[in-house]
Amino acid sequence: MARRNEEVEALLREYADLVAITGGDAFKARAYEKAARAIGGYPADVSALDAEGLREIPNVGRSIAEKVAEYLRTGRMAVVEERRAMIPAGVRELISIPALGPKKALRLYEDLHISSVDELAAAIEADALADLKGFGEKTQENIRHGIELLRRAGARVPLPSALDTAEEIVAELSGVTGCRRCAYAGSLRRMRETVGDLDVLVAAERSARFMEALCELPVTAEVVARGTKKTSVRTGKGLQVDLRVVPPESWGAAMQYFTGSKAHNIRTRTIAVHLGLKLSEYGLFDAESGESVASRTEDEVYARLGLPWIPPTLREDRGEIEAALRGELPEVVTERDVRGDLHTHTDLTDGLASLEAMVEAAAERGYAYYAVTDHAPDLYMQRMTEEKILAQRERVRELDGTRRRMRLLHGTELNIGPEGEVDWPAEFLAGFDLCVASLHSHFDLSREAMTRRLVRACENPYVDVIGHPTTRLIGRRPGVDADWDEVFAACARTGTALEVNSQPDRLDLRDEDILRAKAYGVKFAVNTDAHAVPHLGQLRYGVATAQRGWLTRDDVVNTWPLTRLRRFLRRPGRS
DNA sequence: GCCGTTTTCGGCCCGACTGTTTTCAGTCG
């Protein structure tokens, strides 16, 4: 369920954007952004705090605390509403276009009265920007491309936001009298990286109460269609929700049918036909007699088709049917299998929480080990020094084993330079228990140069894991261009793991790339890259992505016992 | 607007890159 922290975070971010667009003090906008981040990353629920309690949160001072308290009390924040009245909502939408910031957005609005992405696209099409200062040919082309990127992801919703909405709806409908079962299905159950609409299923004898309940939920903004078997609504954020109510005896067949994917369903239905059966959302039936042969559980339906139950994350018709028929379905990694996180930050660099707070929260998750990997100095903005990281190492050693006997690894997140070089010399790197190395700049090298760069990083004996390997941001930035087959081969050859980064806007590597890399014998690390305590919980997205890439425990180094992991993190010159 | 082991004022992650405004503004990480 969504905490109010996320609501407040979104509101403060909106205010920060509006301040930036209306040309307010840039530092003020930054202050609101920092406060938004801090509240989103704050472990406790803000709705339990008053203004004084709110001020305990770093980067929340008197003014912001009062505004947040006002919002929590009244559901409104006056200053936000004032700014909203000055600037149409569509203008803020403009700055979500990569390459377009607040200054250009305001110019477009003031000079050409453009106040939506659609209007901007039309204006570029009509060559209406030609005389606008600061909008040369290249800039226009960049904006055009940015709009394309935005639209490609546009209609789909990020996984966490879809999951929050779905869980809220399932919780509400589960409480309605007569509810026998309630769950979400569709691409959300398959944990695709973005979700187009929500499919919610209810098993009950009568449907009317559920249809009514859905239409009256607080998240429902608009009723699209309302019937006895199916009702569709749209949420305030524009996400369509389809509710299906089925008889309890059809539950398994309905879950199977509505989970999909379409391609997977076509395969299962074809198998049914060959067996003289017919598969629908109501059950598996004998084609001639029409008699039901299976429908109560998914297990039962798959079994009658001669298949084991297939995890939803595998149902994409990427070979899972064939593997299942051969009895070779992988036993995919689960969140419970993960023994530790190998990529996390603290407030020594750009994290929000102290080392102690992160370690405490990790221990509470029941981890056997946990790595602290703050940024290295080549990411200038983090102001890292040898002294600072050595002091941190000392503290890590002190804390090692003191929280639920969780073992601590001291690491760093290195920057892979344009030539594949990293921040520190070998003798200094040798002091770390592990090194993650990631791209943070120079994303537009040629394919050859990018490949060489990544391969060199793999060949560095101190680099154990390549962090967020493609550096894509879902819907905002494509991954870097490289010959990935060559990179995967290098990872396998050098024993360098690839990260499956769990941040929901990264999910990097993504499922298809994982499948390809796995074929080379590459090992993986499913990490959160947490910058705050609540981020540790984002592991579920990384694990789901790993599942979608068919990874087993053996493929994922941070499911291994510490002794095996330490052998993998070989330190040259140390036995 | 926030913050303080130099500071209650005067800083604020700071440098790279890009395109275009021929000396710099805007965007990004």
Side-chain angles (χ1 to χ4, degrees), chain A residues 55 70 148 153 176 178 204 289 334 353 419 443 558:
Chain A
R55 289 198 62 181
E70 174 202 351
E148 215 175 283
V176 173
S289 69
T334 66
E419 300 296 327
F443 300 140
N558 51 326

Side-chain angles (χ1 to χ4, degrees), chain A residues 102-112 132-135:
Chain A
K103 296 285 183 290
K104 287 198 163 81
L106 185 65
R107 168 141 286 160
L108 287 166
Y109 175 59
E110 284 187 337
D111 291 7
L112 298 175
L132 206 54
K133 212 175 163 194
F135 289 81

Side-chain angles (χ1 to χ4, degrees), chain A residues 273-335:
Chain A
V273 170
H274 288 314
L275 294 171
L277 303 168
K278 185 172 81 79
L279 180 59
S280 77
E281 62 264 52
Y282 296 106
L284 189 57
F285 303 93
D286 185 290
E288 280 183 17
S289 69
E291 199 179 321
S292 170
V293 299
S295 66
R296 289 197 158 270
T297 66
E298 281 193 330
D299 247 339
E300 197 179 295
V301 172
Y302 278 110
R304 189 64 185 74
L305 294 173
L307 297 166
W309 180 82
I310 298 175
T313 43
L314 297 185
R315 300 183 195 172
E316 298 287 350
D317 190 26
R318 288 185 191 147
E320 74 279 7
I321 303 276
E322 290 76 3
L325 287 170
R326 288 196 308 269
E328 291 172 6
L329 209 55
E331 204 177 304
V332 289
V333 61
T334 66
E335 207 175 341

Side-chain angles (χ1 to χ4, degrees), chain A residues 364-380:
Chain A
E364 265 170 42
R365 292 180 59 86
Y367 285 147
Y369 48 81
Y370 181 78
V372 180
T373 57
D374 271 314
H375 286 289
D378 288 359
L379 203 62
Y380 306 105

